[in-house]
Amino acid sequence: MLVKTKAIVISSLKFQEKSLIVKCFTLSNGLKSYFVRDAFSTRKASQKIAYFQPLSILEIEAVHKNKGTLENFKEIKTAVPFQSIHTDIVKSTMVMFLSEMLHYSIQEEEKNESLFMFLETALTWLDHHDDISNFHLILLLETTKYLGFYPDISDIDLPYFEMIEGIFTPFHGSTALTDHETTLFKKLIDLKFDNSQKVFHVIERQILLKVLIDYYSFHLDGFKKPKSLDVLKEIFS
């Protein structure tokens, strides 16, 4: 089946000496993995590999056999030509971390157009702005809306956030945030990308990042802490 669709690159893995296995989140079919033969063996290899940087947004034409095996690209071009995401060290580190988070979070091979459109809009915003220190926190929290475990904010005035139930509660149980963590979490819930990025100190961002990773861990089977987390912390320290 020949498919034309937009696709966000989630990960790329070198296979043997010359090839790549690329995992993409597609607009038409959700998560798909593709085999790119001889990605490293031609004169245009660097140009070819550039397509598969973390969270690149592509326009692809591909053959989907839908048999649970690796699919094949027929044509690839850039759908959203980023100006700064892959050249700015802070942004590139951020998208490397976020691509790992999404790699462990988007597990279903099914269409999720609303999540795709959100990610495309968010990444375009990141590419065009410089004040981005809370971007990864806002994106991770907002993504839970599309993954099915966004916090229930109907009782947001209560003092503690219960991580497993995803609710605010008057009691501080073993899986609840502290009052300080809950206060920071409430502040994050109110944030949008265009808000001032200076609402948190470095330490507060690190607390929130740990909270979000723990929250994902509670709600997603097989979730793993990203290897790039330490690099991200170094960039923002």
Side-chain angles (χ1 to χ4, degrees), residues 18 47-48 53 72 80 85 92 102 109 119 128 135 140 152 156 162-163 166 204 221 234:
K18 299 178 180 179
Q47 182 182 346
K48 200 177 207 180
Q53 294 183 81
N72 292 285
V80 180
I85 280 181
S92 62
L102 293 170
E109 198 170 304
L119 292 173
H128 288 93
F135 175 84
L140 289 177
D152 180 347
I156 198 169
E162 213 299 313
M163 297 276 271
E204 291 175 333
D221 292 335
E234 190 71 28

Side-chain angles (χ1 to χ4, degrees), residues 59-73:
E59 190 81 49
I60 66 168
E61 190 173 310
V63 177
H64 286 179
K65 295 180 180 177
N66 298 317
K67 294 181 178 178
T69 54
L70 295 173
E71 313 290 14
N72 292 285
F73 295 116

Side-chain angles (χ1 to χ4, degrees), residues 81-169:
F82 292 141
Q83 303 301 312
S84 64
I85 280 181
H86 294 129
T87 54
D88 180 294
I89 183 64
V90 175
K91 292 182 182 182
S92 62
T93 303
M94 193 176 273
V95 297
M96 180 173 65
F97 164 76
L98 289 171
S99 68
E100 270 198 272
M101 288 289 292
L102 293 170
H103 175 77
Y104 292 123
S105 304
I106 303 173
Q107 299 165 341
E108 296 299 323
E109 198 170 304
E110 59 184 39
K111 180 158 61 171
N112 191 337
E113 285 188 10
S114 56
L115 175 56
F116 187 98
M117 299 305 289
F118 164 70
L119 292 173
E120 181 179 26
T121 301
L123 291 166
T124 303
W125 185 94
L126 175 66
D127 191 51
H128 288 93
H129 292 79
D130 296 319
D131 194 8
I132 59 160
S133 48
N134 298 322
F135 175 84
H136 56 310
L137 304 176
I138 299 169
L139 184 136
L140 289 177
L141 181 60
E142 290 293 309
T143 296
T144 65
K145 288 180 180 176
Y146 307 97
L147 297 177
F149 56 98
Y150 188 75
D152 180 347
I153 59 173
S154 53
D155 292 314
I156 198 169
D157 291 334
L158 294 175
Y160 302 106
F161 180 69
E162 213 299 313
M163 297 276 271
I164 292 178
E165 297 297 326
I167 61 173
F168 290 89
T169 171

Side-chain angles (χ1 to χ4, degrees), residues 14 17-20 36-53 76:
K14 192 172 183 180
E17 285 301 307
K18 299 178 180 179
S19 302
L20 276 176
V36 184
R37 189 183 305 279
D38 297 332
F40 295 92
S41 63
T42 66
R43 286 183 183 177
K44 294 186 176 180
S46 59
Q47 182 182 346
K48 200 177 207 180
I49 294 162
Y51 285 126
F52 306 121
Q53 294 183 81
I76 310 167

